[in-house]
Amino acid sequence: MAAAWRRLGGLAAAALVMATAAPSGEAAPQDSNDFVIVDCRLPPKTRKLGTQHIYQVAGQLIRTPAKDCEIRGGEYTLDDPGSYAGAIKRWTGPAEGGDPQAQTNLGALYERSNPPDYAQAASWYKKASDLNFAPAEIALGELYELGRGVPKDPVQALNLYRKASGISGKALDYIEPATDAQKPQQQGAAPPTTSSAAAPPSIEIVYPLATAGSDQTKLRVRAAATSSTLVGRIVAHADIKEATADG
């Protein structure tokens, strides 16, 4: 009886193998990762010089599918958390969970990747900016200023910079562009000739609207309401080593 059960067990095992085997002529299924192109370092070569000296040299570095690298005994990087792709993978979970710092980090990674993905960067900066996270507001403002991943919008950029700096009040809705006479000189361009000495450094008021007729104002901003907060910048024809602001 025991012998009969053993024979039956053998037949059952054979039937199971036949049932699970791939049909004749069909290749066994392969892992899609086998076709990923990787930087593969092949095994070192053993060389012989003359009749006695035997030494090894570093293996060749090639780009080949992962499976080809494996069967040739090569080595390749399976996971690199320090790469941009690895870092994006690591920060995506916390960012999707609503962490503004993670969202800002993810935006920076997309912005600095090669090639950069400015649209994705702006999207993640926007999520963190909506949570009033100042670093994201500054980063998003720069994208608006340069027109990367979003339409170029200097007004929106300035509003984001103001928000990140803690400046309250009504958002700006218009910036008057500088005239040709008011635009700063490009680097290397000859300074304009004038009979008088170079103008001394001055403070240029950016917000609120500067007094009409001020020849020092290169950028004038219109706001619906005026607050006690002033935003300005220093205009000078030479380097300034020190600036002091009083009350």
Side-chain angles (χ1 to χ4, degrees), residues 134 137-138 158-168 231:
E137 292 164 352
I138 294 172
L158 186 56
N159 280 326
L160 285 164
Y161 294 149
R162 293 173 72 246
K163 182 182 176 186
S165 301
I167 300 175
S168 58
V231 180

Side-chain angles (χ1 to χ4, degrees), residues 158 162 165 167 172 202-210 216-221 228-235 243 245:
L158 186 56
R162 293 173 72 246
S165 301
I167 300 175
L172 309 178
S202 62
I203 298 294
E204 177 182 283
I205 303 300
V206 175
Y207 172 81
L209 177 63
Q216 295 297 330
T217 303
K218 293 189 178 71
L219 180 66
R220 288 180 290 176
V221 181
S228 59
T229 302
L230 293 179
V231 180
R233 61 183 177 185
I234 296 176
V235 179

Side-chain angles (χ1 to χ4, degrees), residues 38-129:
V38 298
D39 293 317
C40 176
R41 173 73 69 181
L42 295 176
K45 299 177 181 179
T46 301
R47 308 190 68 170
K48 185 175 182 179
L49 177 63
T51 58
Q52 295 182 345
H53 188 56
I54 298 175
Y55 62 98
Q56 284 189 329
V57 295
Q60 184 181 1
L61 182 63
I62 62 173
R63 288 186 61 77
T64 187
K67 190 62 177 180
D68 181 65
C69 184
E70 292 174 4
I71 62 179
R72 295 174 69 178
E75 63 176 46
Y76 62 92
T77 301
L78 192 61
D79 183 29
D80 182 8
S83 66
Y84 282 114
I88 287 173
K89 183 178 179 181
R90 186 171 67 253
W91 284 110
T92 297
E96 291 177 343
D99 182 350
Q101 179 65 71
Q103 292 168 345
T104 304
N105 290 348
L106 196 55
L109 289 167
Y110 277 114
E111 187 178 359
R112 299 170 187 173
S113 295
N114 187 19
D117 189 338
Y118 293 119
Q120 279 281 17
S123 174
W124 285 109
Y125 287 148
K126 177 67 166 56
K127 292 178 187 294
S129 176

Side-chain angles (χ1 to χ4, degrees), residues 230-245:
L230 293 179
V231 180
R233 61 183 177 185
I234 296 176
V235 179
H237 297 279
D239 293 339
I240 295 178
K241 295 183 179 179
E242 182 178 352
T244 303

